Amino acid sequence: EPEVTQTPSHQVTQMGQEVILRCVPISNHLYFYWYRQILGQKVEFLVSFYNNEISEKSEIFDDQFSVERPDGSNFTLKIRSTKLEDSAMYFCASSREQNSPLHFGNGTRLTVT
Amino acid sequence: AQKVTQAQTEISVVEKEDVTLDCVYETRDTTYYLFWYKQPPSGELVFLIRRNSFDEQNEISGRYSWNFQKSTSSFNFTITASQVVDSAVYFCALIWNSGNTPLVFGKGTRLSVIA
């Protein structure tokens, strides 16, 4: 069964550094998402992406964040200057249609020191 | 407001007991979709079920069953004869149909099944 893949599984970075989290969505899916989960807390929406542009973003997704689909398969989340509070599990997800189930990757655990 | 409430933060049961996880939602839309996801200790999010607002039939899948009641805005999840492998955090989630809205999660219920 096709799945969403995320790399790396764990990323450690120093405060102020830039990080790029990578995702390969399921190939015939059209909608892409990033969510994050601070340890032990709820899963929070960051951004959705469709037709090569951001379709919705949350208050969390400020100017430090950006997303890109640089080619036909990858979907990346960049954090320009990481802060301690960016430490979380970041999940990429994709769906075939707008309201169909989101399929999540296994997540990237980001640790900012 | 559109939101999902899972009032039970943690539940502990002994293996083979039945357990029900509660989910109450709020939405102004008449068309919406409800989901349950499982997050085992390994951390991934596993899709379990989607139900749209026009289909109030209850669903059973093996030991899992879901009770959708629009009158009480609830979408509860029951595990029958629980097993240790059911230990996980379970999230209820909602997406509504007006515009390209994101999936909104409840805070989750941590289920521990003890052998």
Side-chain angles (χ1 to χ4, degrees):
Chain A
E1 187 176 319
E3 56 183 31
V4 177
T5 56
Q6 290 186 244
T7 54
S9 56
H10 191 188
Q11 173 95 45
V12 181
T13 189
Q14 287 191 327
M15 200 166 51
Q17 295 294 304
E18 174 183 287
V19 292
I20 297 176
L21 310 183
R22 302 179 191 279
C23 170
V24 179
I26 295 173
S27 62
N28 63 347
H29 285 188
L30 301 176
Y31 296 83
F32 313 113
Y33 310 84
W34 284 100
Y35 282 76
R36 80 169 186 194
Q37 184 182 32
I38 294 170
L39 187 62
Q41 297 188 25
K42 68 189 288 188
V43 181
E44 301 175 293
F45 169 73
L46 292 178
V47 65
S48 58
F49 193 86
Y50 170 71
N51 204 23
N52 284 320
E53 60 183 25
I54 290 174
S55 45
E56 181 107 7
K57 60 183 181 179
S58 71
E59 292 175 351
I60 303 168
F61 194 88
D62 61 22
D63 291 344
Q64 292 299 310
F65 291 87
S66 62
V67 289
E68 202 175 40
R69 188 156 162 82
D71 52 43
S73 59
N74 290 285
F75 180 50
T76 61
L77 174 70
K78 183 195 292 187
I79 309 175
R80 258 180 274 283
S81 177
T82 50
K83 305 187 283 280
L84 293 176
E85 53 266 37
D86 293 327
S87 295
M89 180 75 93
Y90 287 81
F91 289 102
C92 174
S94 68
S95 64
R96 191 161 44 195
E97 297 166 354
Q98 190 169 329
N99 297 317
S100 55
L102 272 63
H103 293 265
F104 287 85
N106 287 344
T108 293
R109 180 168 299 285
L110 176 65
T111 302
V112 182
T113 61
Chain B
Q2 325 265 9
K3 71 176 195 180
V4 176
T5 302
Q6 294 180 255
Q8 304 150 308
T9 308
E10 292 193 36
I11 299 177
S12 224
V13 298
V14 176
E15 207 171 19
K16 297 184 185 169
E17 283 185 357
D18 299 347
V19 59
T20 295
L21 311 182
D22 297 334
C23 172
V24 173
Y25 61 91
E26 289 179 37
T27 177
R28 288 187 297 266
D29 279 38
T30 54
T31 303
Y32 51 88
Y33 298 81
L34 294 160
F35 301 77
W36 277 94
Y37 281 84
K38 174 181 180 180
Q39 187 175 41
S42 47
E44 70 271 27
L45 285 163
V46 180
F47 165 72
L48 295 178
I49 189 171
R50 178 183 80 157
R51 178 50 49 88
N52 76 53
S53 53
F54 298 110
D55 181 4
E56 282 195 77
Q57 270 197 331
N58 290 330
E59 181 151 342
I60 298 175
S61 175
R63 296 183 298 107
Y64 294 173
S65 62
W66 291 269
N67 183 354
F68 176 31
Q69 295 206 351
K70 286 177 79 169
S71 60
T72 55
S73 297
S74 65
F75 186 43
N76 296 338
F77 173 30
T78 297
I79 302 174
T80 304
S82 58
Q83 299 175 1
V84 172
V85 292
D86 296 327
S87 297
V89 181
Y90 290 88
F91 291 97
C92 182
L94 166 72
I95 193 167
W96 57 101
N97 210 36
S98 52
N100 188 14
T101 56
L103 186 65
V104 171
F105 285 82
K107 290 185 177 180
T109 297
R110 180 177 299 279
L111 173 66
S112 299
V113 181
I114 303 160

